[in-house]
Amino acid sequence: MRFLLLAFLLCFCFATTFAFGEEPQSKSQQQQQPKLGLPNGEVIELNDSNFDKYVNKGTAEQLPVIIDVYATWCVHCKQLEPVWRELARELQSEVYVGKIDGEKERALANRLSANKGFPTIILLHQNKMRFYSGERSVEKLTHFCRKGWREVKPEPWHKTANNWFGQIFGLVHKVPGVLKGMYSQFSKDYSDTQILFMALSVPVVSGMLLIWVADAITVRRTVSRSRRYVAEQELIRRRA
């Protein structure tokens, strides 16, 4: 029953996202936002709310971003931590060095295709995404970020997280979590039957509205053509 409710809440999710989500910013508003500063030698904790800011806006468009997708229980991830901090200091003002908790930020990890093992090291640069599979040393990682990335084949465009398709793909991955959160929130005040009714009402009302609009347009065109035909016939009759 709950699986069915979550499936129907999908439509409700998109409706509420567009209805109550953030309004798109104008160009003037975007220009007023402060641009990102240069990398300051610190590791950045990336999450769903700030990821696109670093890979798609401001000076981040010109600078690479290297990311460690880790898990708290992963022994190799813990061994990489001091290397990662040293890498951030080494690449200060050159490359943003970030990390993502792959268990906590599952939607973001899926968007990066970093859900097969930990740690996963990824470089995002110039709308391209490349995986790093070499030695996890400061020297090797520094070389990869500065020049070595050119020798690595980028992922296909439909698997790249920092292009337009990746942004859309990221939204898709957020849907299951949003649905679960919505169900948990609504279940506090409503029964499963009431939630199901609300979820069904969204596509039903939307469909009825679309039918009404299509019908209105069709009827209007038909009436206009009928009036034109009657006028033409009347004109022909008078001339005869």
Side-chain angles (χ1 to χ4, degrees), residues 2 27 43 46 48 86-87 89-90 95 100 105 147 166 178 182 186 195 205 223:
R2 291 185 177 181
K27 291 184 179 180
V43 178
L46 297 172
D48 210 30
E86 179 62 27
L87 181 68
R89 290 190 289 267
E90 182 69 25
V95 178
I100 296 173
E105 301 290 337
K147 296 180 180 179
V178 173
M182 291 179 63
F186 281 116
I195 297 174
V205 173
V223 171

Side-chain angles (χ1 to χ4, degrees), residues 12 186 238:
F12 189 70
F186 281 116
R238 290 180 179 179

Side-chain angles (χ1 to χ4, degrees), residues 29-55:
Q29 289 176 324
Q30 292 177 351
Q31 291 174 354
Q32 291 173 1
Q33 289 183 349
K35 291 185 177 181
L36 296 174
L38 294 174
N40 60 3
E42 298 291 333
V43 178
I44 305 165
E45 186 72 40
L46 297 172
N47 51 50
D48 210 30
S49 62
N50 68 358
F51 176 79
D52 286 303
K53 179 175 69 173
Y54 281 94
V55 301

Side-chain angles (χ1 to χ4, degrees), residues 14 38 50 54 67 99 113 116 131 133 154 175 206 228:
F14 282 110
L38 294 174
N50 68 358
Y54 281 94
I67 301 169
K99 62 179 182 177
S113 301
K116 297 180 180 179
F131 287 98
S133 58
V175 170
S206 300
R228 191 182 305 114

Side-chain angles (χ1 to χ4, degrees), residues 13-227:
C13 166
F14 282 110
T16 52
T17 299
F18 286 105
F20 301 104
E22 296 181 358
E23 294 181 359
Q25 296 178 334
S26 62
K27 291 184 179 180
S28 60
Q29 289 176 324
Q30 292 177 351
Q31 291 174 354
Q32 291 173 1
Q33 289 183 349
K35 291 185 177 181
L36 296 174
L38 294 174
N40 60 3
E42 298 291 333
V43 178
I44 305 165
E45 186 72 40
L46 297 172
N47 51 50
D48 210 30
S49 62
N50 68 358
F51 176 79
D52 286 303
K53 179 175 69 173
Y54 281 94
V55 301
N56 287 321
K57 294 182 180 179
T59 56
E61 291 180 346
Q62 311 301 325
L63 295 178
V65 182
I66 189 166
I67 301 169
D68 165 32
V69 184
Y70 68 95
T72 54
W73 49 263
C74 173
V75 176
H76 297 293
C77 298
K78 293 179 181 178
Q79 294 174 346
L80 185 62
E81 287 181 4
V83 175
W84 213 246
R85 290 192 294 267
E86 179 62 27
L87 181 68
R89 290 190 289 267
E90 182 69 25
L91 294 174
Q92 183 175 352
S93 302
E94 297 180 60
V95 178
Y96 291 102
V97 179
K99 62 179 182 177
I100 296 173
D101 187 338
E103 289 189 310
K104 184 179 179 180
E105 301 290 337
R106 291 188 178 182
L108 190 53
N110 288 333
R111 175 176 171 182
L112 288 162
S113 301
N115 48 9
K116 297 180 180 179
F118 301 107
T120 300
I121 299 175
I122 303 167
L123 182 76
L124 303 175
H125 186 40
Q126 298 176 347
N127 290 329
K128 302 290 184 182
M129 185 173 83
R130 293 173 171 86
F131 287 98
Y132 176 78
S133 58
E135 180 183 335
R136 297 169 190 162
S137 64
V138 175
E139 181 182 357
K140 296 294 184 180
L141 286 165
T142 301
H143 172 72
F144 175 71
C145 291
R146 287 174 174 166
K147 296 180 180 179
W149 58 268
R150 294 183 176 90
E151 302 172 3
V152 178
K153 183 179 179 179
E155 293 297 299
W157 66 270
H158 60 276
K159 293 184 178 180
T160 300
N162 55 326
N163 60 12
W164 63 269
F165 188 82
Q167 289 181 294
I168 297 174
F169 196 57
L171 293 175
V172 174
H173 279 295
K174 291 180 185 178
V175 170
V178 173
L179 291 178
K180 291 180 180 178
M182 291 179 63
Y183 176 79
S184 299
Q185 185 65 31
F186 281 116
S187 61
K188 296 177 182 178
D189 302 316
Y190 303 98
S191 67
D192 286 355
T193 303
Q194 290 173 318
I195 297 174
L196 181 60
F197 176 78
M198 288 188 292
L200 284 171
S201 66
V202 174
V204 170
V205 173
S206 300
M208 292 177 64
L209 181 61
L210 288 174
I211 292 173
W212 179 80
V213 172
D215 185 65
I217 294 174
T218 303
V219 170
R220 184 175 181 180
R221 289 180 177 177
T222 303
V223 171
S224 177
R225 290 174 181 174
S226 298
R227 289 177 178 175

